[in-house]
Amino acid sequence: MLKKVTILCLAMIGFSTIPVYAEGVFSTSNLKIADVNISVNNERKVLTKTEASTGKWLGEQKLGQFYGMMWVPEHNVLFVAGVLEGGNRPVLVKIKSTGGGGRNMFAVKPDGGPVSGYNYRLGSQFMQVKNMSYNGSLQVDNGSGVVYRIAGVGGSGYNMFALVNETTCQSLPNYRYFTGCSYY
């Protein structure tokens, strides 16, 4: 009996297509947030939002390149890293909840700025992102040996971490989002 149960469980795991429940963990493929699935297509150029229970299409966001995404439930924010369609620089975008619907579900411009009339985009930061994590504070690995440490989930606007630039570990005066860097 135990052998049959074990085989059945392994078969169920092997065929499972359930997205990652990623709370504070970086995902390069898919997330499940409440009854919403967000996943990237095979070309890594389109994020699609669907209703988890039915698979109904809710929206999409086109990208030139996709690096990954992370959900932070206690702040109700979604971070998406990549190069937005029409853009030419890597950007990390902070989105309220899972954004809206339609063809530009985050209502962002190619530079990570907000589209007028929408409030899904909370902030953006020009930076390369290889990995991220959250455990009360944000850690962003830029892939070149530097991990930025950010208080909470940072601020808002175009420079949501208030960095001097995306290659040095320095904060602008009078801001407290950036708490330092770690090197590896």
Side-chain angles (χ1 to χ4, degrees), residues 41-90:
N41 71 347
N42 290 337
E43 293 84 35
R44 305 186 62 72
K45 301 269 184 172
V46 179
L47 279 179
T48 303
K49 179 165 56 171
T50 58
E51 192 173 83
S53 58
T54 65
K56 177 184 172 189
W57 182 87
L58 300 173
E60 70 182 30
Q61 186 69 51
K62 292 185 179 177
L63 304 154
Q65 295 176 5
F66 173 72
Y67 304 139
M69 58 190 157
M70 184 178 70
W71 172 245
V72 182
E74 62 241 42
H75 292 279
N76 194 35
V77 297
L78 173 68
F79 285 98
V80 176
V83 177
L84 296 167
E85 181 182 53
N88 60 5
R89 292 178 72 185

Side-chain angles (χ1 to χ4, degrees), residues 142 146 148 163-171 178 181 183:
N142 73 358
V146 179
Y148 291 87
L163 300 174
V164 170
N165 61 48
E166 68 265 21
T167 60
T168 61
C169 290
Q170 295 178 320
S171 178
F178 174 72
C181 283
Y183 302 90

Side-chain angles (χ1 to χ4, degrees), residues 48-181:
T48 303
K49 179 165 56 171
T50 58
E51 192 173 83
S53 58
T54 65
K56 177 184 172 189
W57 182 87
L58 300 173
E60 70 182 30
Q61 186 69 51
K62 292 185 179 177
L63 304 154
Q65 295 176 5
F66 173 72
Y67 304 139
M69 58 190 157
M70 184 178 70
W71 172 245
V72 182
E74 62 241 42
H75 292 279
N76 194 35
V77 297
L78 173 68
F79 285 98
V80 176
V83 177
L84 296 167
E85 181 182 53
N88 60 5
R89 292 178 72 185
V91 64
L92 177 61
V93 182
K94 181 170 48 171
I95 303 299
K96 180 194 297 181
S97 187
T98 61
R103 301 278 178 211
N104 185 357
M105 68 184 177
F106 301 147
V108 291
K109 296 178 183 176
D111 68 354
V115 171
S116 180
Y118 296 89
N119 64 356
Y120 306 124
R121 181 261 196 192
L122 298 173
S124 60
Q125 185 71 51
F126 286 122
M127 68 180 353
Q128 180 80 23
V129 176
K130 179 181 178 189
N131 200 347
M132 294 177 64
S133 64
Y134 180 83
N135 188 10
S137 65
L138 189 62
Q139 293 81 38
V140 182
D141 180 347
N142 73 358
S144 65
V146 179
V147 176
Y148 291 87
R149 294 187 314 274
I150 306 298
V153 292
S156 59
Y158 272 103
N159 189 359
M160 67 182 171
F161 301 152
L163 300 174
V164 170
N165 61 48
E166 68 265 21
T167 60
T168 61
C169 290
Q170 295 178 320
S171 178
L172 293 171
N174 303 319
Y175 291 92
R176 298 192 186 333
Y177 305 123
F178 174 72
T179 61
C181 283

